[in-house]
Amino acid sequence: MRWHTVCHNLSVFYATLCGCHTSRTMESRMKTFALTTVLTLAIGAYTPAPAQGPYDNHADAHKDIEAALRQARADDRLVLLDFGANWCLDCIVLSRLFEDKTVRSFLQDNFHVVQVDVGNWDRNLDVSRKYGSPIDNGIPAVVILASSGDVIASTRNGALADARTATAREVLGYLQGWVARKPMHAAR
């Protein structure tokens, strides 16, 4: 197909869409074509930002964990480190399970949650190593810390790496089991 035929067809198409008559002058058709071309290029050049997931790639995991530990010492809660990435379906599923009303209530009452972004296995790997490399068998991975910073529990065995098959009730069961391991002495 020749270029002027393509231009004519596009201008006829545009004219049909906007209810204009096709018996316009060539100048009018060219203006219509120019407008259509500009709009097409503008729309084609638009690239939406990637959807924001639960893991903030700009967060400072070290500072966030220290802040959570300070809060835990003040209110005698545990710290839950949630290692994952926004590209990981199981990580997104787990974060949604954390939003279940029963799970969320239990989390809020017993934990300070820190989401640790591992990116494409290139972020916060030092944090993972510090807490026993829980991501070695997949993500999402969870580490539970006492307010002292000691590890109480970990899913280093990959227990949550297939979170897409988990239910809110199962996640709540994990959380309850981890709270049962909490040291009995006051953290203050």
Side-chain angles (χ1 to χ4, degrees), residues 13 19 39 161 186:
F13 173 73
L39 289 173

Side-chain angles (χ1 to χ4, degrees), residues 43-87:
I43 291 169
Y46 171 73
T47 305
Q52 179 65 31
Y55 302 92
D56 180 357
N57 62 359
H58 298 294
D60 183 333
H62 296 280
K63 287 182 181 176
D64 293 346
I65 293 168
E66 283 305 315
L69 287 169
R70 272 193 308 278
Q71 290 174 320
R73 284 189 289 275
D75 61 18
D76 199 33
R77 289 195 236 169
L78 298 171
V79 174
L80 185 150
L81 305 181
D82 172 16
F83 290 88
N86 291 329
W87 55 261

Side-chain angles (χ1 to χ4, degrees), residues 18-174:
C18 66
C20 304
H21 300 292
T22 57
S23 61
R24 297 185 321 223
T25 66
M26 183 59 144
E27 180 182 342
S28 177
R29 286 184 186 157
M30 290 311 291
K31 285 181 183 176
T32 300
F33 171 71
L35 177 61
T36 304
T37 302
V38 168
L39 289 173
T40 302
L41 291 173
I43 291 169
Y46 171 73
T47 305
Q52 179 65 31
Y55 302 92
D56 180 357
N57 62 359
H58 298 294
D60 183 333
H62 296 280
K63 287 182 181 176
D64 293 346
I65 293 168
E66 283 305 315
L69 287 169
R70 272 193 308 278
Q71 290 174 320
R73 284 189 289 275
D75 61 18
D76 199 33
R77 289 195 236 169
L78 298 171
V79 174
L80 185 150
L81 305 181
D82 172 16
F83 290 88
N86 291 329
W87 55 261
C88 169
L89 175 63
D90 292 301
C91 300
I92 292 168
V93 168
L94 182 61
S95 72
R96 296 243 167 89
L97 289 169
F98 284 165
E99 292 301 315
D100 174 85
K101 68 179 183 178
T102 306
V103 174
R104 183 178 59 236
S105 175
F106 192 82
L107 268 174
Q108 290 172 342
D109 290 345
N110 295 282
F111 296 93
H112 293 284
V113 178
V114 178
Q115 291 174 312
V116 181
D117 181 24
V118 299
N120 289 313
W121 304 104
D122 59 354
R123 280 193 204 110
N124 295 311
L125 300 182
D126 60 325
V127 176
S128 175
R129 282 190 296 274
K130 180 177 180 176
Y131 296 106
S133 300
I135 65 174
D136 284 356
N137 287 309
I139 55 174
V142 171
V143 173
I144 306 300
L145 303 176
S147 60
S148 64
D150 294 334
V151 174
I152 293 176
S154 173
T155 62
R156 187 171 191 269
N157 63 356
L160 292 174
D162 197 18
R164 73 187 85 180
T165 63
T167 65
R169 184 181 198 137
E170 291 169 332
V171 170
L172 183 60
Y174 276 115

